[in-house]
């Protein structure tokens, strides 16, 4: 199977996928930071297409920036004038361009967890 990058966001505060959450993908090269794309999750908390498809995969350092503050404000779950967490950055390396890199985010207004999924 060809390499690709995917993600999935779960709203642990409400026990459901985080629909319509904005995610930005960045490539980091030394001190340079290049924006690759911005997407929104679907009703299942996933993106409709891989963030990087096989032909787009390159080894290097990447960052996913999850806009959870805005998401939880829209959900009415911040409980304060401003959310505790705003944007959650997850930096990772792609070493094998033929592998599937899946980066899930489990989040609430106050905490998050991530791991390399399958």
């Amino acid at each position: 199977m060809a390499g690709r990058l995917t993600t999935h966001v779960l709203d642990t505060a409400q026990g459901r996928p985080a629909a319509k959450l904005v995610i930005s993908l960045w490539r980091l090269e030394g001190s340079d930071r290049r924006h690759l794309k911005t997407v929104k999750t679907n009703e299942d908390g996933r993106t409709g297409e891989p963030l990087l498809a096989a032909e787009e995969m390159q080894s290097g350092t990447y960052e996913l920036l999850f806009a959870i503050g805005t998401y939880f404000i829209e959900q009415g779950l911040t409980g304060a004038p401003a959310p505790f967490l705003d944007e959650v950055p997850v930096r990772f390396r792609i070493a094998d361009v033929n592998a599937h890199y899946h980066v899930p985010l489990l989040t609430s207004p106050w905490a998050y967890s991530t791991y390399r999924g399958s």
Side-chain angles (χ1 to χ4, degrees), residues 8-91:
H8 186 197
V9 184
L10 297 174
D11 175 343
T12 59
Q14 299 182 92
R16 63 182 184 207
K20 300 179 184 173
L21 187 136
V22 175
I23 305 167
S24 297
L25 174 64
W26 299 80
R27 180 172 165 83
L28 299 116
E29 299 176 31
S31 62
D32 293 334
R33 188 171 186 249
R34 186 167 49 103
H35 178 256
L36 300 179
K37 63 180 69 171
T38 298
V39 297
K40 276 190 178 182
T41 57
N42 60 23
E43 295 303 313
D44 194 33
R46 301 175 186 272
T47 59
E49 300 290 327
L51 293 165
L52 292 176
E55 65 278 0
E56 299 171 303
M57 292 286 284
Q58 294 181 17
S59 60
T61 303
Y62 292 84
E63 180 178 87
L64 287 172
L65 192 59
F66 297 88
I68 68 167
T70 301
Y71 168 80
F72 283 115
I73 288 170
E74 291 170 354
Q75 298 296 306
L77 292 178
T78 59
F84 174 67
L85 294 173
D86 185 26
E87 294 181 321
V88 171
V90 177
R91 284 192 182 172

Side-chain angles (χ1 to χ4, degrees), residues 99-111:
H100 177 196
Y101 288 81
H102 184 65
V103 183
L105 184 75
L106 289 74
T107 189
S108 76
W110 311 279

